[in-house]
């Protein structure tokens, strides 16, 4: 019998744990009404950053796990020349961040609701 160093049971590493939270009426409305302005699909082709977010942006930050979006919205407002790609799986936070961005008039943030490892591998170039 050959000896191998391979583990017998490979399992996918999860970098998150989904939290069971209710999406409020206002969060759902923000996603439905304003999502086209801020949300990108987790699957698709490679992104060209920061150009795909805004032609006016000179640099990009990828924020993984933005929670309810307070810091992300503050960053977007304080540095409008910075493109921000925000990744999270928490739908209530996605809705809240969209609301914050809309209220403050920030257009330099895009949100992907998905697993950051999968998004990084499939949509973000190595450079």
């Amino acid at each position: 019998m050959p000896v191998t160093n391979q583990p017998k049971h490979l399992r996918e590493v999860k970098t998150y744990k989904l939290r069971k939270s209710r999406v409020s009426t206002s969060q759902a409305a923000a996603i439905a009404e304003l999502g086209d302005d801020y949300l990108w699909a987790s699957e698709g082709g490679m992104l060209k950053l920061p150009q795909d977010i805004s032609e006016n942006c000179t640099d990009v930050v990828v924020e993984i796990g933005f929670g309810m979006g307070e810091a992300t919205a503050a960053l977007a407002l304080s540095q409008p020349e910075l493109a921000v790609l925000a990744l999270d799986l928490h739908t209530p936070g996605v809705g809240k961040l969209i609301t914050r961005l809309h209220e403050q008039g920030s257009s330099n943030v895009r949100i992907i609701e998905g697993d950051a490892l999968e998004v990084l591998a499939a949509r973000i170039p190595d450079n």
Side-chain angles (χ1 to χ4, degrees):
M1 177 164 30
V3 177
T4 173
N5 292 332
Q6 295 294 325
K8 291 182 181 183
H9 302 286
L10 294 177
R11 67 181 183 140
E12 185 177 327
V13 174
K14 292 289 186 187
T15 58
Y16 62 90
K17 179 178 179 183
L18 285 176
R19 296 177 287 170
K20 302 288 183 189
S21 300
R22 276 187 25 160
V23 177
S24 72
T25 303
S26 63
Q27 293 161 348
I31 292 168
E33 296 168 17
L34 303 169
D36 288 346
D37 295 334
Y38 298 99
L39 288 173
W40 282 347
S42 60
E43 296 178 355
M46 285 289 182
L47 296 170
K48 292 178 186 158
L49 298 173
Q51 300 89 343
D52 284 349
I53 293 176
S54 173
E55 292 292 328
N56 299 322
C57 292
T58 57
D59 208 355
V60 65
V61 167
V62 177
E63 182 173 12
I64 299 172
F66 56 81
M68 295 304 277
E70 297 96 340
T72 307
L75 177 64
L77 187 60
S78 69
Q79 296 187 48
E81 75 286 354
L82 184 66
V84 180
L85 179 60
L87 309 174
D88 206 316
L89 286 162
H90 186 59
T91 304
V94 170
K96 187 64 175 175
L97 178 55
I98 289 172
T99 299
R100 290 177 197 278
L101 295 171
H102 178 71
E103 287 173 352
Q104 69 189 29
S106 293
S107 61
N108 57 328
V109 178
R110 294 300 175 270
I111 303 164
I112 296 179
E113 186 175 3
D115 180 353
L117 286 179
E118 293 174 6
V119 172
L120 289 171
R123 308 229 39 213
I124 309 298
D126 288 341
N127 64 349

PDB file of all heavy atoms in Angstrom, residues 77-110:
ATOM      1  N   LEU A  77     -16.529  58.920   1.428  1.00  0.00           N
ATOM      2  CA  LEU A  77     -16.821  60.349   1.509  1.00  0.00           C
ATOM      3  C   LEU A  77     -15.554  61.172   1.683  1.00  0.00           C
ATOM      4  O   LEU A  77     -15.393  62.211   1.050  1.00  0.00           O
ATOM      5  CB  LEU A  77     -17.791  60.621   2.659  1.00  0.00           C
ATOM      6  CG  LEU A  77     -18.319  62.040   2.784  1.00  0.00           C
ATOM      7  CD1 LEU A  77     -19.082  62.445   1.530  1.00  0.00           C
ATOM      8  CD2 LEU A  77     -19.205  62.166   4.017  1.00  0.00           C
ATOM      9  N   SER A  78     -14.630  60.687   2.504  1.00  0.00           N
ATOM     10  CA  SER A  78     -13.422  61.459   2.798  1.00  0.00           C
ATOM     11  C   SER A  78     -12.378  61.396   1.687  1.00  0.00           C
ATOM     12  O   SER A  78     -11.518  62.265   1.607  1.00  0.00           O
ATOM     13  CB  SER A  78     -12.799  60.994   4.118  1.00  0.00           C
ATOM     14  OG  SER A  78     -12.263  59.688   3.985  1.00  0.00           O
ATOM     15  N   GLN A  79     -12.447  60.342   0.846  1.00  0.00           N
ATOM     16  CA  GLN A  79     -11.471  60.196  -0.237  1.00  0.00           C
ATOM     17  C   GLN A  79     -12.180  59.861  -1.551  1.00  0.00           C
ATOM     18  O   GLN A  79     -12.095  58.733  -2.042  1.00  0.00           O
ATOM     19  CB  GLN A  79     -10.459  59.107   0.115  1.00  0.00           C
ATOM     20  CG  GLN A  79      -9.620  59.444   1.337  1.00  0.00           C
ATOM     21  CD  GLN A  79      -8.528  58.438   1.570  1.00  0.00           C
ATOM     22  OE1 GLN A  79      -7.788  58.079   0.655  1.00  0.00           O
ATOM     23  NE2 GLN A  79      -8.415  57.976   2.797  1.00  0.00           N
ATOM     24  N   PRO A  80     -12.841  60.819  -2.154  1.00  0.00           N
ATOM     25  CA  PRO A  80     -13.604  60.542  -3.378  1.00  0.00           C
ATOM     26  C   PRO A  80     -12.746  60.129  -4.562  1.00  0.00           C
ATOM     27  O   PRO A  80     -13.261  59.568  -5.534  1.00  0.00           O
ATOM     28  CB  PRO A  80     -14.333  61.863  -3.650  1.00  0.00           C
ATOM     29  CG  PRO A  80     -13.572  62.894  -2.890  1.00  0.00           C
ATOM     30  CD  PRO A  80     -12.949  62.203  -1.720  1.00  0.00           C
ATOM     31  N   GLU A  81     -11.435  60.358  -4.495  1.00  0.00           N
ATOM     32  CA  GLU A  81     -10.541  59.938  -5.579  1.00  0.00           C
ATOM     33  C   GLU A  81     -10.145  58.468  -5.451  1.00  0.00           C
ATOM     34  O   GLU A  81      -9.499  57.911  -6.328  1.00  0.00           O
ATOM     35  CB  GLU A  81      -9.271  60.804  -5.590  1.00  0.00           C
ATOM     36  CG  GLU A  81      -8.273  60.495  -4.487  1.00  0.00           C
ATOM     37  CD  GLU A  81      -8.661  60.960  -3.073  1.00  0.00           C
ATOM     38  OE1 GLU A  81      -9.675  61.652  -2.894  1.00  0.00           O
ATOM     39  OE2 GLU A  81      -7.920  60.617  -2.139  1.00  0.00           O
ATOM     40  N   LEU A  82     -10.579  57.817  -4.382  1.00  0.00           N
ATOM     41  CA  LEU A  82     -10.258  56.422  -4.102  1.00  0.00           C
ATOM     42  C   LEU A  82     -11.432  55.525  -4.494  1.00  0.00           C
ATOM     43  O   LEU A  82     -12.562  55.760  -4.074  1.00  0.00           O
ATOM     44  CB  LEU A  82      -9.966  56.252  -2.607  1.00  0.00           C
ATOM     45  CG  LEU A  82      -9.518  54.879  -2.138  1.00  0.00           C
ATOM     46  CD1 LEU A  82      -8.155  54.529  -2.715  1.00  0.00           C
ATOM     47  CD2 LEU A  82      -9.460  54.863  -0.615  1.00  0.00           C
ATOM     48  N   ALA A  83     -11.171  54.518  -5.312  1.00  0.00           N
ATOM     49  CA  ALA A  83     -12.193  53.527  -5.654  1.00  0.00           C
ATOM     50  C   ALA A  83     -12.216  52.474  -4.554  1.00  0.00           C
ATOM     51  O   ALA A  83     -11.164  52.005  -4.120  1.00  0.00           O
ATOM     52  CB  ALA A  83     -11.875  52.873  -6.991  1.00  0.00           C
ATOM     53  N   VAL A  84     -13.402  52.111  -4.108  1.00  0.00           N
ATOM     54  CA  VAL A  84     -13.546  51.125  -3.041  1.00  0.00           C
ATOM     55  C   VAL A  84     -14.397  49.972  -3.550  1.00  0.00           C
ATOM     56  O   VAL A  84     -15.527  50.173  -3.994  1.00  0.00           O
ATOM     57  CB  VAL A  84     -14.202  51.739  -1.785  1.00  0.00           C
ATOM     58  CG1 VAL A  84     -14.339  50.692  -0.684  1.00  0.00           C
ATOM     59  CG2 VAL A  84     -13.412  52.945  -1.288  1.00  0.00           C
ATOM     60  N   LEU A  85     -13.835  48.771  -3.490  1.00  0.00           N
ATOM     61  CA  LEU A  85     -14.585  47.557  -3.796  1.00  0.00           C
ATOM     62  C   LEU A  85     -14.851  46.879  -2.466  1.00  0.00           C
ATOM     63  O   LEU A  85     -13.936  46.441  -1.778  1.00  0.00           O
ATOM     64  CB  LEU A  85     -13.802  46.631  -4.717  1.00  0.00           C
ATOM     65  CG  LEU A  85     -14.493  45.313  -5.070  1.00  0.00           C
ATOM     66  CD1 LEU A  85     -15.832  45.563  -5.775  1.00  0.00           C
ATOM     67  CD2 LEU A  85     -13.589  44.450  -5.923  1.00  0.00           C
ATOM     68  N   ALA A  86     -16.117  46.826  -2.074  1.00  0.00           N
ATOM     69  CA  ALA A  86     -16.512  46.302  -0.770  1.00  0.00           C
ATOM     70  C   ALA A  86     -17.127  44.912  -0.936  1.00  0.00           C
ATOM     71  O   ALA A  86     -18.078  44.734  -1.695  1.00  0.00           O
ATOM     72  CB  ALA A  86     -17.519  47.255  -0.112  1.00  0.00           C
ATOM     73  N   LEU A  87     -16.564  43.926  -0.221  1.00  0.00           N
ATOM     74  CA  LEU A  87     -17.015  42.538  -0.308  1.00  0.00           C
ATOM     75  C   LEU A  87     -17.570  42.082   1.033  1.00  0.00           C
ATOM     76  O   LEU A  87     -16.917  42.248   2.061  1.00  0.00           O
ATOM     77  CB  LEU A  87     -15.842  41.626  -0.688  1.00  0.00           C
ATOM     78  CG  LEU A  87     -15.003  42.016  -1.895  1.00  0.00           C
ATOM     79  CD1 LEU A  87     -13.809  41.091  -2.028  1.00  0.00           C
ATOM     80  CD2 LEU A  87     -15.835  41.996  -3.150  1.00  0.00           C
ATOM     81  N   ASP A  88     -18.768  41.502   1.010  1.00  0.00           N
ATOM     82  CA  ASP A  88     -19.358  40.962   2.237  1.00  0.00           C
ATOM     83  C   ASP A  88     -20.487  40.022   1.864  1.00  0.00           C
ATOM     84  O   ASP A  88     -21.013  40.066   0.754  1.00  0.00           O
ATOM     85  CB  ASP A  88     -19.893  42.081   3.131  1.00  0.00           C
ATOM     86  CG  ASP A  88     -19.924  41.702   4.603  1.00  0.00           C
ATOM     87  OD1 ASP A  88     -20.341  40.568   4.922  1.00  0.00           O
ATOM     88  OD2 ASP A  88     -19.532  42.526   5.444  1.00  0.00           O
ATOM     89  N   LEU A  89     -20.859  39.174   2.810  1.00  0.00           N
ATOM     90  CA  LEU A  89     -21.955  38.219   2.618  1.00  0.00           C
ATOM     91  C   LEU A  89     -23.201  38.589   3.407  1.00  0.00           C
ATOM     92  O   LEU A  89     -24.211  37.908   3.315  1.00  0.00           O
ATOM     93  CB  LEU A  89     -21.505  36.819   3.068  1.00  0.00           C
ATOM     94  CG  LEU A  89     -20.541  36.131   2.136  1.00  0.00           C
ATOM     95  CD1 LEU A  89     -19.831  34.994   2.848  1.00  0.00           C
ATOM     96  CD2 LEU A  89     -21.265  35.606   0.926  1.00  0.00           C
ATOM     97  N   HIS A  90     -23.119  39.636   4.188  1.00  0.00           N
ATOM     98  CA  HIS A  90     -24.185  39.999   5.121  1.00  0.00           C
ATOM     99  C   HIS A  90     -25.184  40.926   4.421  1.00  0.00           C
ATOM    100  O   HIS A  90     -24.941  42.132   4.292  1.00  0.00           O
ATOM    101  CB  HIS A  90     -23.552  40.667   6.338  1.00  0.00           C
ATOM    102  CG  HIS A  90     -24.471  40.966   7.451  1.00  0.00           C
ATOM    103  ND1 HIS A  90     -25.210  40.001   8.098  1.00  0.00           N
ATOM    104  CD2 HIS A  90     -24.770  42.134   8.056  1.00  0.00           C
ATOM    105  CE1 HIS A  90     -25.912  40.565   9.051  1.00  0.00           C
ATOM    106  NE2 HIS A  90     -25.666  41.863   9.040  1.00  0.00           N
ATOM    107  N   THR A  91     -26.298  40.382   3.966  1.00  0.00           N
ATOM    108  CA  THR A  91     -27.277  41.149   3.182  1.00  0.00           C
ATOM    109  C   THR A  91     -27.787  42.394   3.901  1.00  0.00           C
ATOM    110  O   THR A  91     -27.912  43.451   3.273  1.00  0.00           O
ATOM    111  CB  THR A  91     -28.447  40.243   2.742  1.00  0.00           C
ATOM    112  OG1 THR A  91     -27.911  39.128   2.025  1.00  0.00           O
ATOM    113  CG2 THR A  91     -29.420  40.987   1.856  1.00  0.00           C
ATOM    114  N   PRO A  92     -28.094  42.343   5.207  1.00  0.00           N
ATOM    115  CA  PRO A  92     -28.512  43.590   5.868  1.00  0.00           C
ATOM    116  C   PRO A  92     -27.446  44.684   5.770  1.00  0.00           C
ATOM    117  O   PRO A  92     -27.772  45.858   5.571  1.00  0.00           O
ATOM    118  CB  PRO A  92     -28.744  43.166   7.322  1.00  0.00           C
ATOM    119  CG  PRO A  92     -29.100  41.718   7.237  1.00  0.00           C
ATOM    120  CD  PRO A  92     -28.233  41.188   6.110  1.00  0.00           C
ATOM    121  N   GLY A  93     -26.180  44.312   5.883  1.00  0.00           N
ATOM    122  CA  GLY A  93     -25.104  45.290   5.755  1.00  0.00           C
ATOM    123  C   GLY A  93     -25.003  45.850   4.350  1.00  0.00           C
ATOM    124  O   GLY A  93     -24.712  47.038   4.173  1.00  0.00           O
ATOM    125  N   VAL A  94     -25.251  45.019   3.348  1.00  0.00           N
ATOM    126  CA  VAL A  94     -25.253  45.486   1.961  1.00  0.00           C
ATOM    127  C   VAL A  94     -26.327  46.563   1.786  1.00  0.00           C
ATOM    128  O   VAL A  94     -26.062  47.637   1.239  1.00  0.00           O
ATOM    129  CB  VAL A  94     -25.481  44.319   0.976  1.00  0.00           C
ATOM    130  CG1 VAL A  94     -25.728  44.832  -0.436  1.00  0.00           C
ATOM    131  CG2 VAL A  94     -24.303  43.352   1.005  1.00  0.00           C
ATOM    132  N   GLY A  95     -27.518  46.280   2.280  1.00  0.00           N
ATOM    133  CA  GLY A  95     -28.606  47.259   2.183  1.00  0.00           C
ATOM    134  C   GLY A  95     -28.289  48.548   2.912  1.00  0.00           C
ATOM    135  O   GLY A  95     -28.555  49.650   2.413  1.00  0.00           O
ATOM    136  N   LYS A  96     -27.720  48.435   4.097  1.00  0.00           N
ATOM    137  CA  LYS A  96     -27.386  49.620   4.890  1.00  0.00           C
ATOM    138  C   LYS A  96     -26.295  50.442   4.218  1.00  0.00           C
ATOM    139  O   LYS A  96     -26.368  51.669   4.180  1.00  0.00           O
ATOM    140  CB  LYS A  96     -26.959  49.197   6.299  1.00  0.00           C
ATOM    141  CG  LYS A  96     -26.755  50.345   7.242  1.00  0.00           C
ATOM    142  CD  LYS A  96     -28.050  51.096   7.484  1.00  0.00           C
ATOM    143  CE  LYS A  96     -27.852  52.177   8.535  1.00  0.00           C
ATOM    144  NZ  LYS A  96     -29.056  52.977   8.698  1.00  0.00           N
ATOM    145  N   LEU A  97     -25.270  49.772   3.672  1.00  0.00           N
ATOM    146  CA  LEU A  97     -24.201  50.497   2.981  1.00  0.00           C
ATOM    147  C   LEU A  97     -24.745  51.222   1.757  1.00  0.00           C
ATOM    148  O   LEU A  97     -24.392  52.379   1.517  1.00  0.00           O
ATOM    149  CB  LEU A  97     -23.057  49.561   2.595  1.00  0.00           C
ATOM    150  CG  LEU A  97     -21.900  50.202   1.820  1.00  0.00           C
ATOM    151  CD1 LEU A  97     -21.307  51.396   2.567  1.00  0.00           C
ATOM    152  CD2 LEU A  97     -20.826  49.164   1.516  1.00  0.00           C
ATOM    153  N   ILE A  98     -25.605  50.582   1.006  1.00  0.00           N
ATOM    154  CA  ILE A  98     -26.204  51.242  -0.158  1.00  0.00           C
ATOM    155  C   ILE A  98     -26.938  52.503   0.276  1.00  0.00           C
ATOM    156  O   ILE A  98     -26.811  53.561  -0.343  1.00  0.00           O
ATOM    157  CB  ILE A  98     -27.144  50.280  -0.922  1.00  0.00           C
ATOM    158  CG1 ILE A  98     -26.312  49.207  -1.634  1.00  0.00           C
ATOM    159  CG2 ILE A  98     -28.020  51.037  -1.913  1.00  0.00           C
ATOM    160  CD1 ILE A  98     -27.143  48.096  -2.253  1.00  0.00           C
ATOM    161  N   THR A  99     -27.705  52.408   1.351  1.00  0.00           N
ATOM    162  CA  THR A  99     -28.434  53.573   1.871  1.00  0.00           C
ATOM    163  C   THR A  99     -27.468  54.690   2.243  1.00  0.00           C
ATOM    164  O   THR A  99     -27.670  55.853   1.869  1.00  0.00           O
ATOM    165  CB  THR A  99     -29.283  53.179   3.089  1.00  0.00           C
ATOM    166  OG1 THR A  99     -30.231  52.199   2.691  1.00  0.00           O
ATOM    167  CG2 THR A  99     -29.998  54.372   3.689  1.00  0.00           C
ATOM    168  N   ARG A 100     -26.417  54.355   2.970  1.00  0.00           N
ATOM    169  CA  ARG A 100     -25.429  55.364   3.386  1.00  0.00           C
ATOM    170  C   ARG A 100     -24.787  56.042   2.174  1.00  0.00           C
ATOM    171  O   ARG A 100     -24.650  57.266   2.136  1.00  0.00           O
ATOM    172  CB  ARG A 100     -24.330  54.716   4.228  1.00  0.00           C
ATOM    173  CG  ARG A 100     -24.742  54.266   5.593  1.00  0.00           C
ATOM    174  CD  ARG A 100     -23.550  53.575   6.296  1.00  0.00           C
ATOM    175  NE  ARG A 100     -23.950  52.786   7.427  1.00  0.00           N
ATOM    176  CZ  ARG A 100     -24.194  53.264   8.640  1.00  0.00           C
ATOM    177  NH1 ARG A 100     -24.100  54.541   8.880  1.00  0.00           N
ATOM    178  NH2 ARG A 100     -24.539  52.449   9.622  1.00  0.00           N
ATOM    179  N   LEU A 101     -24.371  55.240   1.203  1.00  0.00           N
ATOM    180  CA  LEU A 101     -23.714  55.794   0.019  1.00  0.00           C
ATOM    181  C   LEU A 101     -24.647  56.714  -0.755  1.00  0.00           C
ATOM    182  O   LEU A 101     -24.241  57.791  -1.203  1.00  0.00           O
ATOM    183  CB  LEU A 101     -23.206  54.661  -0.879  1.00  0.00           C
ATOM    184  CG  LEU A 101     -22.113  53.782  -0.282  1.00  0.00           C
ATOM    185  CD1 LEU A 101     -21.863  52.570  -1.179  1.00  0.00           C
ATOM    186  CD2 LEU A 101     -20.831  54.568  -0.038  1.00  0.00           C
ATOM    187  N   HIS A 102     -25.882  56.293  -0.905  1.00  0.00           N
ATOM    188  CA  HIS A 102     -26.859  57.107  -1.624  1.00  0.00           C
ATOM    189  C   HIS A 102     -27.114  58.427  -0.899  1.00  0.00           C
ATOM    190  O   HIS A 102     -27.142  59.494  -1.525  1.00  0.00           O
ATOM    191  CB  HIS A 102     -28.159  56.322  -1.794  1.00  0.00           C
ATOM    192  CG  HIS A 102     -29.228  57.095  -2.478  1.00  0.00           C
ATOM    193  ND1 HIS A 102     -29.178  57.398  -3.826  1.00  0.00           N
ATOM    194  CD2 HIS A 102     -30.369  57.649  -2.006  1.00  0.00           C
ATOM    195  CE1 HIS A 102     -30.249  58.097  -4.149  1.00  0.00           C
ATOM    196  NE2 HIS A 102     -30.979  58.276  -3.065  1.00  0.00           N
ATOM    197  N   GLU A 103     -27.297  58.352   0.418  1.00  0.00           N
ATOM    198  CA  GLU A 103     -27.583  59.556   1.206  1.00  0.00           C
ATOM    199  C   GLU A 103     -26.440  60.568   1.145  1.00  0.00           C
ATOM    200  O   GLU A 103     -26.682  61.771   1.132  1.00  0.00           O
ATOM    201  CB  GLU A 103     -27.889  59.189   2.653  1.00  0.00           C
ATOM    202  CG  GLU A 103     -29.245  58.533   2.819  1.00  0.00           C
ATOM    203  CD  GLU A 103     -29.506  58.017   4.221  1.00  0.00           C
ATOM    204  OE1 GLU A 103     -28.581  58.015   5.068  1.00  0.00           O
ATOM    205  OE2 GLU A 103     -30.663  57.604   4.476  1.00  0.00           O
ATOM    206  N   GLN A 104     -25.204  60.102   1.101  1.00  0.00           N
ATOM    207  CA  GLN A 104     -24.070  61.032   1.080  1.00  0.00           C
ATOM    208  C   GLN A 104     -23.602  61.350  -0.335  1.00  0.00           C
ATOM    209  O   GLN A 104     -22.712  62.171  -0.518  1.00  0.00           O
ATOM    210  CB  GLN A 104     -22.923  60.508   1.937  1.00  0.00           C
ATOM    211  CG  GLN A 104     -22.215  59.286   1.393  1.00  0.00           C
ATOM    212  CD  GLN A 104     -21.232  58.683   2.390  1.00  0.00           C
ATOM    213  OE1 GLN A 104     -21.402  58.792   3.598  1.00  0.00           O
ATOM    214  NE2 GLN A 104     -20.186  58.050   1.879  1.00  0.00           N
ATOM    215  N   GLY A 105     -24.189  60.703  -1.334  1.00  0.00           N
ATOM    216  CA  GLY A 105     -23.869  61.003  -2.724  1.00  0.00           C
ATOM    217  C   GLY A 105     -22.549  60.426  -3.207  1.00  0.00           C
ATOM    218  O   GLY A 105     -21.978  60.926  -4.175  1.00  0.00           O
ATOM    219  N   SER A 106     -22.059  59.373  -2.559  1.00  0.00           N
ATOM    220  CA  SER A 106     -20.795  58.758  -2.973  1.00  0.00           C
ATOM    221  C   SER A 106     -21.009  57.837  -4.160  1.00  0.00           C
ATOM    222  O   SER A 106     -21.915  57.011  -4.160  1.00  0.00           O
ATOM    223  CB  SER A 106     -20.188  57.966  -1.813  1.00  0.00           C
ATOM    224  OG  SER A 106     -19.791  58.835  -0.785  1.00  0.00           O
ATOM    225  N   SER A 107     -20.147  57.966  -5.155  1.00  0.00           N
ATOM    226  CA  SER A 107     -20.240  57.122  -6.347  1.00  0.00           C
ATOM    227  C   SER A 107     -18.964  56.320  -6.575  1.00  0.00           C
ATOM    228  O   SER A 107     -18.804  55.703  -7.626  1.00  0.00           O
ATOM    229  CB  SER A 107     -20.544  57.980  -7.568  1.00  0.00           C
ATOM    230  OG  SER A 107     -19.501  58.908  -7.773  1.00  0.00           O
ATOM    231  N   ASN A 108     -18.063  56.299  -5.599  1.00  0.00           N
ATOM    232  CA  ASN A 108     -16.772  55.636  -5.759  1.00  0.00           C
ATOM    233  C   ASN A 108     -16.693  54.277  -5.065  1.00  0.00           C
ATOM    234  O   ASN A 108     -15.612  53.778  -4.802  1.00  0.00           O
ATOM    235  CB  ASN A 108     -15.645  56.550  -5.258  1.00  0.00           C
ATOM    236  CG  ASN A 108     -15.820  56.983  -3.811  1.00  0.00           C
ATOM    237  OD1 ASN A 108     -16.930  57.148  -3.320  1.00  0.00           O
ATOM    238  ND2 ASN A 108     -14.716  57.195  -3.119  1.00  0.00           N
ATOM    239  N   VAL A 109     -17.851  53.681  -4.788  1.00  0.00           N
ATOM    240  CA  VAL A 109     -17.891  52.366  -4.132  1.00  0.00           C
ATOM    241  C   VAL A 109     -18.748  51.420  -4.954  1.00  0.00           C
ATOM    242  O   VAL A 109     -19.823  51.786  -5.437  1.00  0.00           O
ATOM    243  CB  VAL A 109     -18.488  52.465  -2.706  1.00  0.00           C
ATOM    244  CG1 VAL A 109     -18.576  51.088  -2.053  1.00  0.00           C
ATOM    245  CG2 VAL A 109     -17.680  53.415  -1.845  1.00  0.00           C
ATOM    246  N   ARG A 110     -18.260  50.181  -5.101  1.00  0.00           N
ATOM    247  CA  ARG A 110     -19.063  49.104  -5.660  1.00  0.00           C
ATOM    248  C   ARG A 110     -19.024  47.967  -4.654  1.00  0.00           C
ATOM    249  O   ARG A 110     -18.024  47.751  -3.959  1.00  0.00           O
ATOM    250  CB  ARG A 110     -18.541  48.634  -7.016  1.00  0.00           C
ATOM    251  CG  ARG A 110     -18.664  49.675  -8.106  1.00  0.00           C
ATOM    252  CD  ARG A 110     -20.117  50.106  -8.354  1.00  0.00           C
ATOM    253  NE  ARG A 110     -20.197  51.180  -9.316  1.00  0.00           N
ATOM    254  CZ  ARG A 110     -20.161  52.480  -9.019  1.00  0.00           C
ATOM    255  NH1 ARG A 110     -20.018  52.874  -7.770  1.00  0.00           N
ATOM    256  NH2 ARG A 110     -20.258  53.382  -9.970  1.00  0.00           N
TER     257      ARG A 110
END
